[in-house]
Amino acid sequence: MKIGFLGLGGMGAAMAANLIKAGHQIVVWNRSPGAAEPLVELGAIAAVTPVQAFDVELVISMLADDASTRAVLLDSGALASAKAGLVHLSMATLSTAFVGELVELHREQGVEFVAAPVFGRTDVAAAGKLNILVAGPEAAIAKAQPVLDVLGQKTWPLGDDPLRAVAVKIAGNFMIASAIEAMGESAALVKTYGVAPGEFMEIMGNTLFNAPVYRNYGAQIAEQRFDPAGFRLVLGLKDVGLALSAGHEQRVPLPLASVLRDNLLEAIAHGDGELDWSALSQVALRKSGQL
Amino acid sequence: MKIGFLGLGGMGAAMAANLIKAGHQIVVWNRSPGAAEPLVELGAIAAVTPVQAFDVELVISMLADDASTRAVLLDSGALASAKAGLVHLSMATLSTAFVGELVELHREQGVEFVAAPVFGRTDVAAAGKLNILVAGPEAAIAKAQPVLDVLGQKTWPLGDDPLRAVAVKIAGNFMIASAIEAMGESAALVKTYGVAPGEFMEIMGNTLFNAPVYRNYGAQIAEQRFDPAGFRLVLGLKDVGLALSAGHEQRVPLPLASVLRDNLLEAIAHGDGELDWSALSQVALRKSGQL
Amino acid sequence: MKIGFLGLGGMGAAMAANLIKAGHQIVVWNRSPGAAEPLVELGAIAAVTPVQAFDVELVISMLADDASTRAVLLDSGALASAKAGLVHLSMATLSTAFVGELVELHREQGVEFVAAPVFGRTDVAAAGKLNILVAGPEAAIAKAQPVLDVLGQKTWPLGDDPLRAVAVKIAGNFMIASAIEAMGESAALVKTYGVAPGEFMEIMGNTLFNAPVYRNYGAQIAEQRFDPAGFRLVLGLKDVGLALSAGHEQRVPLPLASVLRDNLLEAIAHGDGELDWSALSQVALRKSGQL
Amino acid sequence: MKIGFLGLGGMGAAMAANLIKAGHQIVVWNRSPGAAEPLVELGAIAAVTPVQAFDVELVISMLADDASTRAVLLDSGALASAKAGLVHLSMATLSTAFVGELVELHREQGVEFVAAPVFGRTDVAAAGKLNILVAGPEAAIAKAQPVLDVLGQKTWPLGDDPLRAVAVKIAGNFMIASAIEAMGESAALVKTYGVAPGEFMEIMGNTLFNAPVYRNYGAQIAEQRFDPAGFRLVLGLKDVGLALSAGHEQRVPLPLASVLRDNLLEAIAHGDGELDWSALSQVALRKSGQL
């Protein structure tokens, strides 16, 4: 299939490479063109403008946030140039409000909009093992399925309303941040009673919390290993902000997300914004005078 | 070994039964004597007073809280009657402040105090599959080990200061409550976007949060199945209170625990105190007008 | 002076009327033209477009929020049409981010931008007794001073950076909301001990908290008198949101504002959004099962 | 009247001195006897034991907290020695739970228990200008009225249930702490926009928040003048804890009090416990990296 791909950050580049390896013809676009080069070497065509990447059978966007997606898809005229029947897989983590706007604009243009946000970091993307949440028109998803099968280990269908997949992605990231905060506060607490954070996380990660999120972040927290960042703390603030905004739209108070937001801001105010977001755990140590 | 056992609630009764089955001679005591009867049928001796249950080689206490432990161990004269060299396994979830006091009183009496709180509900206790956190004098733990091996699937040693095991137990329960709150807020959020809580928990429990805590509580939350209670919400408030108190003693602010406390109070104010503590998730639904 | 006035809501209409009475020539504009009629009867000229209201010596904007200000000042071409040297008094409560953008756009256009947000509701505006926070170029403020003297009882100068006045206005509203929340939680607490909220507020308002904010809102809370709204609760949420956004920009966590936000959302979820924002106090009653 | 007075801290000593000056015969007791000396010079009789101070017509207790009140009134046998008909004015800030216990014990002893907590610091006490909240049996209050008139500028009657006065006192202190927190967060916010905290507090204290609490604490916050302490921060934590406990008893969540508790703990963790409790405002500066 001829596939357009916009956004070649860590995630996007890994995903596009997998599509090429699977035999698809890929037209790639990125704001800074350098990111396209390794993919061109693999066989991708470099688009000069977003419009060009939309002249395909299926287009995937994996841009950083609402603002960059708006710039690349809307302000550039790319969506406005799209032919009716095109399928657009929106795989980035965007706000519910903006996705609602995109759904409407795609309908007007006659383009099929499918939300397909993912769980997994760049290493998971590179291995083609993402978990993909998908929601949109049934026929469009069916058309996209071979592509999704290349990118992920499993696709989780959530019906025909794209907002559903967006909401689940946002809630999932909020739950990860909550787990990091719970580990951070707990580790700061037990430390004052003489228990090393690593000792604590070892027990938790092998009993009640025997899940990758707890084992991986638990080890990072225990070892204070936040650099290089798997997922930058400033992006964590962005994502918790998406949860708060989604809650705001539907009048759902999220007191735990409010605590996360406050503590992520505190972390950034102390210079930890570019570290991995598990550095959120340092805030509990700082508050208790242990840092 | 001749073992005293004080406190025959759901947990204690199941644990004492396992000790009898393993061939130990057990002297049981409970405030309301009826609870001792099934164990006597299995071969236990019913003590008339706590003092009698302390006239053994090793005594286990599994009472409800600080207050009942104080009444049964201290006010009754049981500890004061104990012979030097007795090993006392304190397996209930108590406050760090009170355990600090107990440590001192046992030292004065010449009794070995070992904190051995557990993770696991009554079904896990009945199966002898508890995870046991243990801290205290090395020789005393060694003496208790055969008993611990009957009661649990694994013993997690935490050194010679009993407070360490207590702190880990309290932090672990705090982390469970945090997970319930995160699931509750998330489920309330995605519901407003048309995603059934069960659908959401199914995805989470099979991907990032593939751990018993999330799968079990997630299913309860999705099905709104809170009765009968595996662990009553009022006890959850007690345990979050223990985390806040432990933090207070060491000047560790726990903003997430504060949110939990407020929401557990709100649940109780609305009549849900005797339900399973996963009913904490109802609070997010109520706040957002979905209940 | 020939003065343009955009935005004739409750506040704007009262302010414009005072300027007419003081002998100024006023060119008024409002999205729905009906609001201009009473002022035209008093002698105002009705502008057909925002551009027309900018063809004056000094223009005042008092629009609802960032979005309407953007539409009326920027999208309409009004600012782009303005002559160099015009003074623009921005008296609405806007976000720090948007005012930062306005400052830059005015500089490019050669228009003097003065932020002059106010404390006081419509009755205070009608009486010409507003407290006006002002910040901007010294000469521009000097030119505007006679106008400010008509509108307010006192002008509080805050220097030449318009953002300073904006920040103080936002922080002031945040402090009012905090006071309402504190009264609401306190009233809910003492009520469970048999103290009528009115009795409690009477004591507070005549001792430690002998200030208009506490006496007025305290009486409303005690009498549960929230309709008609002096300031609608949904606007309160907007303003607390401005505080959180201003804090976000500068990395200042505001945990108290986070609590306010959550509780205002809860109030709106229960249908109280159009009531006076002192209805925030109902949330504490609801949480404690007293409503 | 022959009056017993227990507890000669800053507040108690000032109050007892005023009673002597007003011509009453005072029997004073304090844990450390040195505090009684200046009063003996003024004419007081020094009691050797609390029992002696209870052998009077009216006894006043002004001890530090629940624990010291329990020790001095109950453990010493003082209450048990009291004659039926004695009136006991409890003027300290105690928990609702403990006052409930005291009410019951006094009833059994036939002693009239009147709760009479006060608003005002030591300088206000010395001037006889306290605001006194009073609740208890009508006849007992009538008997105490001449004494209350010496101590305070005004007595606020709250009915016959002593818990009412206690609840109002606790809620009042909670409101002061909330005001300090709101000022602290606001000052930290405006500072990042170039507004000096003193400039901000000047405006607030002369407009919306024209009350002693805001003017006095606002000046302290602006000048970072926290030493010597008018009211120590550790006592503030005690009092916010009383609000949380009172809410716990009646199932009233107090999210704002939870924020205060967390931030007061953070202040103590950073060594500010002995400063004036307006140093709570430093926490917002620290969180935002401005300290």
Side-chain angles (χ1 to χ4, degrees):
Chain A
M1 208 184 316
K2 191 174 175 188
I3 302 172
F5 204 109
L6 300 110
L8 303 172
M11 293 295 289
M15 292 158 74
N18 282 339
L19 291 172
I20 297 169
K21 286 173 203 158
H24 292 287
Q25 188 185 348
I26 309 292
V27 183
V28 295
W29 184 89
N30 197 60
R31 188 178 304 245
S32 53
E37 282 168 28
L39 294 162
V40 169
E41 280 176 34
L42 290 175
I45 299 162
V48 178
T49 64
V51 169
Q52 217 176 324
F54 260 68
D55 186 17
V56 292
E57 288 165 85
L58 183 146
V59 66
I60 296 173
S61 58
M62 193 64 185
L63 298 146
D65 53 21
D66 284 10
S68 57
T69 303
R70 181 184 296 279
V72 175
L73 265 60
L74 306 185
D75 299 348
S76 73
L79 176 59
S81 76
K83 291 181 204 117
L86 173 68
V87 171
H88 175 197
L89 276 184
S90 171
M91 302 190 76
T93 302
L94 305 174
S95 73
T96 52
F98 182 55
V99 169
E101 190 184 336
L102 286 177
V103 166
E104 188 51 33
L105 292 170
H106 281 70
R107 183 167 18 231
E108 288 168 11
Q109 186 73 16
V111 174
E112 305 287 347
F113 183 85
V114 176
V118 302
F119 287 124
R121 292 178 170 194
T122 50
D123 54 337
V124 179
K129 296 285 187 198
L130 295 167
N131 275 286
I132 307 178
L133 310 165
V134 70
E138 201 175 332
I141 294 174
K143 189 170 167 196
Q145 195 62 55
V147 169
L148 297 172
D149 290 344
V150 170
L151 299 174
Q153 63 173 295
K154 190 163 166 70
T155 304
W156 301 89
L158 281 151
D160 57 3
D161 179 357
L163 282 176
R164 288 192 202 154
V166 176
V168 169
K169 165 62 184 171
I170 289 172
N173 273 23
F174 162 46
M175 279 180 58
I176 300 172
S178 299
I180 294 173
E181 176 69 23
M183 285 185 269
E185 294 189 17
S186 295
L189 177 62
V190 299
K191 193 157 178 267
T192 62
Y193 288 95
V195 180
E199 218 175 340
F200 175 69
M201 289 314 311
E202 164 86 9
I203 298 175
M204 292 298 117
N206 284 291
T207 56
L208 302 161
F209 294 94
N210 191 353
V213 161
Y214 284 88
R215 280 201 309 274
N216 298 344
Y217 286 119
Q220 287 186 251
I221 291 168
E223 299 161 21
Q224 305 214 24
R225 179 168 39 83
F226 308 123
D227 193 8
F231 185 69
R232 289 181 300 131
L233 197 141
V234 288
L235 293 179
L237 178 60
K238 186 206 98 176
D239 281 6
V240 168
L242 293 181
L244 288 166
S245 294
H248 184 278
E249 296 227 337
Q250 302 290 339
R251 282 56 179 103
V252 182
L254 301 170
L256 212 147
S258 291
V259 167
L260 295 174
R261 179 189 179 283
D262 289 334
N263 286 353
L264 286 163
L265 278 177
E266 185 169 340
I268 297 171
H270 287 83
D272 291 351
E274 296 304 312
L275 299 181
D276 188 76
W277 70 332
S278 50
L280 168 61
S281 59
Q282 300 289 88
V283 174
L285 288 178
R286 188 178 296 111
K287 281 182 203 284
S288 56
Q290 298 185 82
L291 200 69
Chain B
M1 208 185 314
K2 190 174 174 188
I3 301 172
F5 203 109
L6 299 109
L8 302 171
M11 293 295 289
M15 292 158 73
N18 282 340
L19 292 172
I20 297 169
K21 286 172 203 159
H24 292 288
Q25 188 185 347
I26 309 292
V27 182
V28 294
W29 183 88
N30 197 60
R31 188 179 303 245
S32 53
E37 283 168 28
L39 294 163
V40 170
E41 280 177 34
L42 290 175
I45 299 162
V48 178
T49 63
V51 169
Q52 218 175 323
F54 261 68
D55 187 17
V56 292
E57 287 165 86
L58 182 147
V59 65
I60 296 172
S61 59
M62 193 63 184
L63 297 146
D65 53 21
D66 284 11
S68 56
T69 303
R70 181 183 295 279
V72 174
L73 265 60
L74 307 185
D75 300 349
S76 74
L79 177 59
S81 76
K83 292 183 203 115
L86 173 68
V87 171
H88 175 196
L89 275 184
S90 171
M91 302 189 76
T93 303
L94 305 174
S95 73
T96 51
F98 182 55
V99 169
E101 189 184 337
L102 286 177
V103 166
E104 188 50 34
L105 292 170
H106 282 70
R107 180 165 21 230
E108 289 168 10
Q109 186 73 15
V111 174
E112 304 288 347
F113 183 85
V114 176
V118 302
F119 286 125
R121 292 177 170 195
T122 49
D123 54 337
V124 179
K129 296 285 188 198
L130 294 167
N131 276 287
I132 306 178
L133 310 165
V134 70
E138 201 174 334
I141 293 174
K143 190 171 167 196
Q145 196 62 56
V147 169
L148 297 172
D149 290 343
V150 170
L151 299 174
Q153 62 173 294
K154 187 161 167 70
T155 303
W156 301 88
L158 282 151
D160 57 3
D161 180 356
L163 281 176
R164 286 191 203 156
V166 175
V168 169
K169 166 63 183 168
I170 288 173
N173 273 22
F174 162 47
M175 278 180 59
I176 300 173
S178 299
I180 294 174
E181 176 70 21
M183 285 185 268
E185 293 190 18
S186 295
L189 178 62
V190 299
K191 193 158 178 266
T192 62
Y193 287 94
V195 180
E199 218 176 341
F200 175 69
M201 290 314 312
E202 164 85 9
I203 298 174
M204 292 298 117
N206 283 289
T207 56
L208 301 161
F209 293 94
N210 192 354
V213 161
Y214 284 88
R215 279 201 310 272
N216 297 343
Y217 286 119
Q220 287 185 249
I221 291 169
E223 299 161 20
Q224 305 214 22
R225 180 167 39 83
F226 307 123
D227 192 12
F231 186 68
R232 288 181 302 130
L233 197 142
V234 288
L235 293 179
L237 178 60
K238 185 205 98 176
D239 281 6
V240 168
L242 294 181
L244 289 166
S245 294
H248 184 279
E249 296 226 339
Q250 301 290 340
R251 280 57 179 104
V252 182
L254 301 170
L256 212 147
S258 292
V259 168
L260 295 174
R261 180 190 180 281
D262 289 334
N263 286 352
L264 288 163
L265 278 177
E266 185 170 339
I268 297 170
H270 287 84
D272 291 351
E274 297 303 313
L275 299 181
D276 188 74
W277 71 334
S278 51
L280 168 60
S281 60
Q282 300 289 89
V283 174
L285 288 178
R286 187 178 297 110
K287 279 183 204 285
S288 57
Q290 296 186 83
L291 200 71
Chain C
M1 207 183 318
K2 191 173 174 189
I3 301 172
F5 204 109
L6 300 109
L8 302 172
M11 293 295 289
M15 292 158 73
N18 283 340
L19 291 173
I20 297 169
K21 286 173 204 160
H24 292 286
Q25 187 184 349
I26 309 292
V27 182
V28 295
W29 184 87
N30 197 60
R31 188 179 304 246
S32 52
E37 283 168 29
L39 294 163
V40 169
E41 280 177 34
L42 289 176
I45 299 162
V48 179
T49 62
V51 169
Q52 218 176 320
F54 261 68
D55 187 16
V56 292
E57 288 165 85
L58 182 148
V59 65
I60 296 173
S61 59
M62 193 65 185
L63 296 146
D65 52 21
D66 283 11
S68 57
T69 303
R70 182 183 295 279
V72 174
L73 265 60
L74 306 185
D75 299 349
S76 74
L79 176 60
S81 76
K83 291 181 204 118
L86 174 67
V87 172
H88 175 196
L89 275 184
S90 172
M91 303 190 75
T93 303
L94 305 174
S95 73
T96 51
F98 182 54
V99 170
E101 190 184 336
L102 286 178
V103 166
E104 188 50 34
L105 292 170
H106 281 70
R107 179 163 24 229
E108 289 169 10
Q109 186 72 16
V111 173
E112 304 287 347
F113 184 85
V114 176
V118 302
F119 286 125
R121 292 178 171 194
T122 50
D123 54 338
V124 179
K129 296 285 187 197
L130 295 167
N131 275 287
I132 306 178
L133 311 165
V134 71
E138 201 175 333
I141 293 173
K143 190 171 167 194
Q145 195 62 54
V147 169
L148 297 172
D149 290 343
V150 170
L151 298 174
Q153 63 172 295
K154 189 163 167 69
T155 304
W156 300 88
L158 282 150
D160 58 2
D161 180 357
L163 282 175
R164 287 191 203 155
V166 175
V168 169
K169 165 63 183 168
I170 288 172
N173 273 21
F174 162 47
M175 278 180 58
I176 300 173
S178 299
I180 294 174
E181 176 70 21
M183 285 185 267
E185 293 190 17
S186 295
L189 178 62
V190 299
K191 192 158 179 266
T192 62
Y193 288 94
V195 180
E199 218 175 340
F200 174 68
M201 290 313 313
E202 164 85 8
I203 298 175
M204 292 298 117
N206 283 290
T207 56
L208 301 161
F209 293 95
N210 193 353
V213 161
Y214 284 87
R215 279 201 310 272
N216 297 344
Y217 287 118
Q220 288 186 249
I221 291 168
E223 300 160 22
Q224 305 213 22
R225 180 167 39 82
F226 307 123
D227 192 9
F231 186 68
R232 288 181 302 130
L233 197 141
V234 288
L235 293 179
L237 177 60
K238 185 206 99 176
D239 281 5
V240 168
L242 294 181
L244 288 165
S245 294
H248 185 278
E249 296 227 337
Q250 301 290 341
R251 280 59 178 102
V252 182
L254 300 170
L256 213 147
S258 291
V259 168
L260 295 174
R261 180 189 179 282
D262 289 335
N263 286 353
L264 287 164
L265 278 177
E266 185 169 341
I268 297 172
H270 286 83
D272 292 351
E274 296 304 312
L275 299 181
D276 188 75
W277 71 333
S278 50
L280 168 60
S281 60
Q282 299 289 87
V283 174
L285 288 178
R286 186 178 297 110
K287 280 183 204 283
S288 57
Q290 296 185 84
L291 199 71
Chain D
M1 207 183 321
K2 191 173 175 189
I3 301 172
F5 204 109
L6 300 108
L8 302 172
M11 293 294 290
M15 292 158 74
N18 282 339
L19 291 172
I20 297 169
K21 287 174 204 160
H24 293 286
Q25 187 184 349
I26 308 292
V27 182
V28 296
W29 183 88
N30 197 61
R31 188 178 305 246
S32 52
E37 283 167 27
L39 294 163
V40 170
E41 281 177 34
L42 289 176
I45 299 162
V48 178
T49 64
V51 169
Q52 217 175 322
F54 260 68
D55 187 16
V56 292
E57 288 165 85
L58 183 147
V59 66
I60 296 172
S61 59
M62 193 64 185
L63 298 146
D65 53 21
D66 284 11
S68 56
T69 303
R70 181 183 294 280
V72 174
L73 265 60
L74 306 185
D75 299 349
S76 73
L79 176 60
S81 76
K83 290 182 204 116
L86 173 67
V87 171
H88 175 197
L89 276 184
S90 171
M91 302 191 75
T93 302
L94 305 174
S95 74
T96 51
F98 182 54
V99 170
E101 190 184 336
L102 286 178
V103 166
E104 188 51 33
L105 292 169
H106 282 70
R107 180 166 20 231
E108 289 169 9
Q109 186 73 15
V111 173
E112 304 287 348
F113 183 84
V114 176
V118 301
F119 286 125
R121 293 178 170 194
T122 50
D123 54 338
V124 180
K129 296 285 187 198
L130 295 167
N131 275 287
I132 307 178
L133 310 165
V134 71
E138 202 175 330
I141 294 174
K143 189 170 168 193
Q145 195 61 56
V147 169
L148 297 172
D149 290 343
V150 169
L151 299 174
Q153 64 173 296
K154 190 164 167 67
T155 304
W156 300 89
L158 281 152
D160 58 3
D161 180 357
L163 282 175
R164 286 191 203 154
V166 175
V168 169
K169 166 63 184 169
I170 289 172
N173 272 22
F174 162 46
M175 278 179 57
I176 300 172
S178 299
I180 293 173
E181 175 70 21
M183 284 185 269
E185 293 190 16
S186 295
L189 177 62
V190 299
K191 192 157 180 267
T192 62
Y193 288 94
V195 180
E199 216 175 343
F200 175 68
M201 289 314 312
E202 163 85 8
I203 298 175
M204 293 297 117
N206 283 292
T207 56
L208 301 161
F209 293 94
N210 191 354
V213 161
Y214 284 87
R215 280 201 310 272
N216 297 344
Y217 287 120
Q220 287 186 251
I221 292 168
E223 298 160 23
Q224 305 214 24
R225 180 168 38 84
F226 308 122
D227 194 7
F231 185 70
R232 288 182 300 130
L233 197 141
V234 288
L235 293 180
L237 178 60
K238 185 206 99 176
D239 281 5
V240 168
L242 293 181
L244 288 165
S245 294
H248 185 278
E249 296 226 337
Q250 302 289 340
R251 280 61 179 101
V252 182
L254 300 171
L256 213 148
S258 291
V259 168
L260 296 174
R261 179 189 180 282
D262 289 334
N263 286 352
L264 288 162
L265 278 176
E266 185 168 342
I268 297 171
H270 287 83
D272 292 350
E274 297 304 313
L275 299 181
D276 188 75
W277 71 332
S278 50
L280 168 60
S281 60
Q282 300 289 87
V283 174
L285 287 178
R286 189 179 294 110
K287 280 182 203 284
S288 57
Q290 297 185 82
L291 199 69

